[in-house]
Amino acid sequence: MRKFLSRGAVIGVVAASAAVLLPQAASAAAFSSTCQATVCDLYVSGYKGGGLSIDADVHGSGTGRWELWSLDENWYHVQDFDAAAGPGSWLRSWSPKGRYHARVTGPSGPTSIGLRWLDNPTGG
């Protein structure tokens, strides 16, 4: 449980640091979901373009995976990552506007997935 709480704190610090250090890349909106299972889904709407940051965290050892689908366009992205590495963030520039479905899958629960919309598509 302590490891789970420290990972949550790290995600918060990473997000807050990005907004402070890169004010031009400040988040326009942020959504997240945390699940006790090995799979966690998030549905969001209203993305107006720019940069899209995907934040994911899983537990255990092996491979974690996040997936991101546009529900309005024929667009999909997937990324595998090291489950033991801790929380991570990935930037996707110029993703299609609209609604999204995000999913994270890990070797063991709990899992977390988040989407942040950035004003600057390059994040910098």
Side-chain angles (χ1 to χ4, degrees):
M1 181 69 169
R2 182 178 175 155
K3 186 175 182 181
F4 174 68
L5 292 175
S6 67
R7 281 189 174 195
V10 169
I11 289 175
V13 168
V14 168
S17 298
V20 170
L21 295 175
L22 300 170
Q24 68 274 21
S27 296
F31 305 91
S32 66
S33 182
T34 299
C35 305
Q36 295 305 311
T38 59
V39 176
C40 198
D41 290 293
L42 175 66
Y43 291 88
V44 299
S45 62
Y47 175 61
K48 298 195 184 321
L52 185 62
S53 178
I54 300 94
D55 305 315
D57 187 23
V58 299
H59 291 81
S61 60
T63 301
R65 168 180 280 195
W66 61 258
E67 300 169 79
L68 185 64
W69 296 270
S70 168
L71 298 175
D72 300 314
E73 301 283 336
N74 185 18
W75 188 90
Y76 168 79
H77 198 84
V78 61
Q79 176 76 44
D80 290 337
F81 60 94
D82 180 9
S89 293
W90 297 265
L91 179 66
R92 294 295 165 250
S93 299
W94 304 113
S95 305
K97 297 176 183 180
R99 302 172 300 141
Y100 279 89
H101 173 201
R103 172 180 289 160
V104 67
T105 307
S108 65
T111 54
S112 298
I113 185 75
L115 295 177
R116 289 180 288 134
W117 304 342
L118 308 174
D119 294 332
N120 183 338
T122 62

